[in-house]
Amino acid sequence: MPDPPRTVLRMDDQAEDGVTTATAPLVDSFGRVHSDLRISLTDRCSLRCTYCMPEQGNVWLSRDSILTSDEVVAVARVAADAGVTKVRLTGGEPLLRADLADLVRGIAALRSDGRPLEVTLTTNGIGLADRIDELVAAGLSRLNISIDSVRRDRFTALTKRDRLADVLAGIRAAAASGLRPLKLNAVAMRDVNDDELVDLVQLALDVDAEMRFIEQMPLDVGHAWDRSTMLTRDEILSALRARWDLTPVPGRGGSPAERWWLDGGPRTVGVIASVTAPFCGTCNRLRLTADGQLRSCLFGHDELSVIEALRGSSDSSQRDAGVDAVLRACVAGKRAGHGIDDLSFVQPTRGMNAIGG
Ligand code: SAM
Ligand code: SF4
């Protein structure tokens, strides 16, 4: 087993003000180096996807517990100093944040080991068409848009909102923006959208995007997930093989998605099989909730408070040291795997909308 993480200053890295800020990388006790920070900006949403949150009765995070854009950028800066190279903004629905472009601008201006941070967005696409230009100008690197059905009645039943046209407008705007690779995400569900997997891939091909199917995970607020009825990676692949010849794309690295060439390429499709083919061994991700709690795993229960470190001191170096300590403690406590196959597994209390997907 590798040595436990150490906090050492690399004296060759300098911040703009000349103060040495780079710190040791975030390595956990299994040797996994953490370079990817997912930040949830809100638990609220313009949709109510059945696998994520209920239509009514949601208990929202209080407004004053939500991190401000300055606080989010402050955490991203400390994380960048510790080797984080990529930040994904998510939610809930990140487009509900009026200050989203400011956030993107603030994070895109950060450097990790001398290179600009990659800032990506996961969104349901509603309202994106009106905001894509300001997001691109602010420095957004690329984006993922979620769409589970291209049939209006089905989309409405699944999300409890008649907004398919808005999502499609968002996808078209993203395609026109030129940001690539553009990815579309769909949760594949038995007897819900399993008969339109080919149509979803075709939509992605039409807009120069990659379709990625996600196995449904036990992260719904209502705790209604049932493993025995979920659509598996193998079933998704077999539905796609009826239409395309699939050959594996090599070089997956730490990516959650396995990818295949369609009919020999160059177009591709991806599958994120968190349940039947977990990829915990290469996980390089940390997650910050909208109310400032740091998590090392989607499926875990452990959270460490970053908001206390942020709001506990008016001295910026003390604040940064506090955030850095929380990042390191979180990584040090990370478990080997999500354990959802263990008999002892208990679904997290927070739903996906409050953790950040
Ligand atoms: N609202 C944005 C969106 O839908 O893209 C960002 C947040 S959403 C929680 C991020 C991703 O998580 C989406 O692609 C969504 O489909 C996925 N997701 C939500 N609940 C899920 C679940 N129970 N299992 C698998 N994926 C889920
Ligand atoms: Fe909203 Fe995304 Fe959850 Fe759907 S998956 S309810 S769009 S946060």
Side-chain angles (χ1 to χ4, degrees):
M1 185 177 296
D3 291 339
R6 294 171 302 138
T7 304
V8 217
L9 288 178
R10 291 201 309 261
M11 301 306 289
D12 52 339
D13 289 320
Q14 303 258 302
E16 269 176 22
D17 58 4
V19 177
T20 300
T21 53
T23 55
L26 299 166
V27 188
D28 72 8
S29 54
F30 303 94
R32 295 172 294 196
V33 182
H34 291 73
S35 57
D36 183 331
L37 177 64
R38 308 209 162 186
I39 303 179
S40 173
L41 297 178
T42 175
D43 58 334
R44 294 169 193 247
C45 191
S46 41
L47 298 179
R48 294 289 182 274
C49 305
T50 51
Y51 50 75
C52 183
M53 61 204 283
E55 185 173 12
Q56 284 168 346
N58 287 287
V59 181
W60 307 114
L61 297 171
S62 68
R63 301 259 179 206
D64 59 0
S65 74
I66 303 285
L67 298 184
T68 65
S69 51
D70 285 349
E71 288 171 332
V72 169
V73 175
V75 176
R77 186 168 43 72
V78 176
D81 286 341
V84 163
T85 56
K86 178 173 145 191
V87 169
R88 174 169 297 284
L89 301 174
T90 179
E93 178 44 50
L95 285 169
L96 294 184
R97 286 277 297 237
D99 56 356
L100 183 59
D102 295 337
L103 271 155
V104 170
R105 193 174 302 107
I107 299 171
L110 300 173
R111 297 280 179 279
S112 180
D113 211 8
R115 283 187 286 277
L117 249 63
E118 190 183 9
V119 191
T120 66
L121 182 70
T122 300
T123 172
N124 64 26
I126 294 174
L128 182 63
D130 294 333
R131 295 177 68 189
I132 186 76
D133 290 346
E134 63 164 344
L135 293 172
V136 173
L140 187 70
S141 308
R142 54 193 181 77
L143 67 175
N144 294 359
I145 305 176
S146 304
I147 179 163
D148 299 320
S149 175
V150 288
R151 302 187 194 175
R152 182 176 168 186
D153 54 343
R154 191 178 275 183
F155 181 95
T156 305
L158 189 54
T159 64
K160 312 295 183 207
R161 301 286 188 269
D162 185 8
R163 305 296 298 270
L164 176 62
D166 301 294
V167 174
L168 290 171
I171 290 173
R172 282 193 294 272
S177 77
L179 292 185
R180 294 293 184 279
L182 174 63
K183 295 172 187 168
L184 306 185
N185 292 341
V187 179
M189 290 165 282
R190 189 181 310 285
D191 300 333
V192 176
N193 62 357
D194 53 351
D195 58 346
E196 57 175 312
L197 304 189
V198 166
D199 294 347
L200 285 162
V201 174
Q202 193 56 55
L203 166 72
L205 296 178
D206 291 346
V207 295
D208 189 27
E210 177 184 87
M211 193 71 221
R212 305 180 337 155
F213 295 106
I214 309 173
E215 283 184 345
Q216 189 176 350
M217 300 180 268
L219 291 169
D220 55 313
V221 172
H223 294 208
W225 180 83
D226 181 353
R227 182 174 185 134
S228 64
T229 58
M230 62 162 276
L231 200 68
T232 65
R233 164 193 183 276
D234 292 351
E235 290 171 308
I236 295 166
L237 291 177
S238 117
L240 298 177
R241 283 197 172 103
R243 167 69 180 77
W244 293 280
D245 180 37
L246 302 183
T247 43
V249 177
R252 178 178 180 186
S255 166
E258 283 176 88
R259 300 167 68 229
W260 286 264
W261 303 115
L262 296 165
D263 287 341
R267 308 308 301 277
T268 53
V269 68
V271 177
I272 300 176
S274 316
V275 179
T276 66
F279 35 86
C280 305
T282 56
C283 179
N284 63 354
R285 291 172 282 285
L286 290 173
R287 293 171 194 275
L288 180 65
T289 65
D291 58 344
Q293 303 297 312
L294 197 67
R295 303 172 61 95
S296 60
C297 180
L298 262 181
F299 301 95
H301 291 261
D302 300 338
E303 296 185 347
L304 293 177
S305 176
V306 174
I307 198 168
E308 276 177 29
L310 285 167
R311 296 186 181 174
S313 170
S314 52
D315 177 275
S316 62
S317 52
Q318 258 186 27
R319 183 199 62 196
D320 290 358
V323 171
D324 183 74
V326 175
L327 286 168
R328 289 177 197 288
C330 185
V331 167
K334 182 157 174 159
R335 293 160 204 256
H338 58 42
I340 63 179
D341 284 331
D342 299 349
L343 286 177
S344 58
F345 176 74
V346 178
Q347 187 175 330
T349 320
R350 287 186 195 255
M352 186 68 136
N353 67 305
I355 298 174

